Amino acid sequence: MSSALTDLFPLPIVQAPMAGGVSVPQLAAAVSEAGGLGFLAAGYKTADGMYQEIKQLRGLTGRPFGVNLFMPQPEYAESGAVEVYAHQLAGEAAWYETELGDPDSGRDDGYEAKLAVLLDNPVAAASFHFGVPSPEVLDSLRRAGTLTLVTATTAEEALAVERAGADAVIAQGVEAGGHQGTHRDVQENDGSGIGLLSLIAQIRETVGIPVVAAGGIMRGSQIAAVLAAGASAAQLGTAFLATPESGATELHKQALTNPLFTRTELTRAFSGRPARGLVNRFMREHGPYAPAAYPEVHHLTSPLRKAAARAGDAQGMALWAGQGHRMARELPAGQLVEILAEELAAASTALSTKEGEER
Ligand SMILES: Cc1cc2nc3c(=O)[nH]c(=O)nc-3n(C[C@H](O)[C@H](O)[C@H](O)COP(=O)(O)O)c2cc1C
């Protein structure tokens, strides 16, 4: 399907923005140079930090790329829940010989300042996670020449994305690594979520804007499958996390294919919002009672996660990963894009040959 979005980059492959220092300019440049769409993640960064990365990326490639922002979060933690969780994490702080972080370090992630930077220095695409920007914001970005995309995890959320005026919706299946981009998180969200193929179909029957499919995609054959289901492109996170250009720690990269880590789960243990990661000790011990309190819990556990990484202890880190993690390939990002494109072409040929035979 041709659209303003797919006309931007030759291959239907988007490298997912990955906050926490993973989708660095080198990764985004390699993907965009290879014909996909590279993305920077502005989440947890200052507006100036984001600007510096944009400048750096522009020095590495003249190709289009995107920047991803987190939406500011309303306050909906039950009062006292964060204090109780802090009490429960006291033993972790003692173990890692650090202090817990200040849960009240800020909940808007510098949204307004980052928007101002993007309006002054327009990029090809901007995507949003954890909610929908106002129609005015989406319109001002469009007038600046930026295509807008917003994550949705249900057809209802996709409808809100279309009504606000975004150019495309990112259908994020429950298989996806990292945070679910659910628009409003409440304790009752049990994290069951919708599988990607079902979600694409539901969203396609609800909205008319192009759909980018995300969640568990590790091979070109899966890209062919989501395109056949009606998506215009596929967004891959975990597959790119394993590349040498990604800024993920070596511990995180190695854990993806380490037989010690057999499964992933959605957890609130590290950030207070459901996010998919490899099941480790921290998740097992604290996941069951972690409160719906994002970003307070993110700030609270930040020093613990950093101390665990310094100590080389993968059991105390947030090892974000999608359900396809074991299929990760440690290839340079540009080469990975080429192989995905070859696999996609082979799967598409197989599909059309089969169709021809059946006629
Ligand atoms: C380490 C990691 C960090 C992520 N950070 C972000 C982010 O900052 N913004 C965002 O929109 N999505 C983020 N995601 C989710 C991705 O956009 C995407 O939905 C997901 O990676 C797709 O599933 P996959 O990992 O199985 O490919 C992150 C995913 C991972 C694995």
Side-chain angles (χ1 to χ4, degrees):
M1 187 209 289
S2 175
S3 66
L5 175 74
T6 50
D7 290 347
L8 252 192
F9 47 108
L11 297 170
I13 299 173
V14 178
Q15 165 248 309
M18 289 179 278
V22 179
S23 56
V24 291
Q26 290 77 2
L27 175 60
V31 172
S32 289
E33 283 290 313
L37 185 67
F39 250 94
L40 293 174
Y44 312 133
K45 287 197 174 302
T46 60
D48 186 55
M50 178 191 84
Y51 174 63
Q52 296 304 331
E53 282 207 335
I54 293 173
K55 267 202 340 201
Q56 203 187 332
L57 180 48
R58 287 215 163 107
L60 296 172
T61 182
R63 301 261 201 170
F65 61 86
V67 175
N68 173 257
L69 265 56
F70 288 166
M71 292 303 296
Q73 297 300 297
E75 204 156 342
Y76 37 56
E78 276 172 43
S79 78
V82 178
E83 288 76 3
V84 172
Y85 194 50
H87 192 67
Q88 286 158 328
L89 293 181
E92 296 282 348
W95 175 253
Y96 288 112
E97 297 179 339
T98 184
E99 304 283 317
L100 291 174
D102 175 6
D104 300 317
S105 310
R107 54 180 35 262
D108 73 354
D109 202 46
Y111 178 68
E112 296 292 342
K114 288 174 188 172
L115 277 178
V117 171
L118 291 184
L119 289 173
D120 279 350
N121 307 270
V123 292
S127 72
F128 298 85
H129 211 50
F130 301 148
V132 192
S134 67
E136 294 71 30
V137 164
L138 293 171
D139 190 50
S140 58
L141 285 166
R142 177 171 315 102
R143 279 189 278 113
T146 301
L147 277 166
T148 55
L149 304 91
V150 183
T151 306
T153 60
T154 63
E156 291 74 23
E157 288 182 351
L159 193 57
V161 171
E162 183 177 60
R163 285 189 174 150
D167 294 304
V169 59
I170 301 165
Q172 190 194 34
V174 73
E175 303 91 333
H179 282 97
Q180 287 280 301
T182 319
H183 293 181
R184 187 179 160 77
D185 183 41
V186 286
Q187 192 78 56
E188 293 69 43
N189 285 352
D190 63 357
S192 48
I194 304 174
L196 182 59
L197 275 184
S198 179
L199 182 64
I200 296 170
Q202 292 177 37
I203 290 182
R204 288 272 291 153
E205 287 193 7
T206 311
V207 302
I209 53 177
V211 177
V212 174
I217 301 174
M218 306 296 286
R219 297 286 185 262
S221 57
Q222 293 171 282
I223 301 176
V226 297
L227 297 184
S232 298
Q235 176 164 304
L236 289 70
T238 305
F240 286 108
L241 197 154
T243 63
E245 289 90 343
S246 122
T249 60
E250 283 309 312
L251 275 177
H252 192 168
K253 289 183 187 179
Q254 284 161 12
L256 295 174
T257 49
N258 183 340
L260 204 63
F261 296 101
T262 52
R263 51 191 200 92
T264 62
E265 234 175 52
L266 287 172
T267 186
R268 283 198 170 85
F270 296 104
S271 72
R273 244 185 182 273
R276 184 170 297 283
L278 300 171
V279 176
N280 62 3
R281 180 195 61 78
F282 195 98
M283 260 169 81
R284 271 194 299 271
E285 288 182 10
H286 305 295
Y289 55 78
Y294 176 90
E296 285 89 348
V297 173
H298 164 80
H299 296 313
L300 191 68
T301 67
S302 173
L304 297 179
R305 288 179 275 123
K306 286 183 186 145
R310 275 197 305 274
D313 180 6
Q315 297 296 336
M317 296 162 56
L319 301 171
W320 301 140
Q323 287 182 344
H325 64 94
R326 272 189 262 187
M327 296 169 83
R329 297 177 280 203
E330 215 182 298
L331 295 168
Q335 204 181 326
L336 177 60
V337 171
E338 280 167 28
I339 291 177
L340 288 167
E342 284 165 18
E343 292 170 346
L344 166 61
S348 309
T349 310
L351 197 65
S352 48
T353 311
K354 196 161 182 293
E355 258 178 22
E357 282 166 5
E358 279 166 9
R359 258 195 221 117

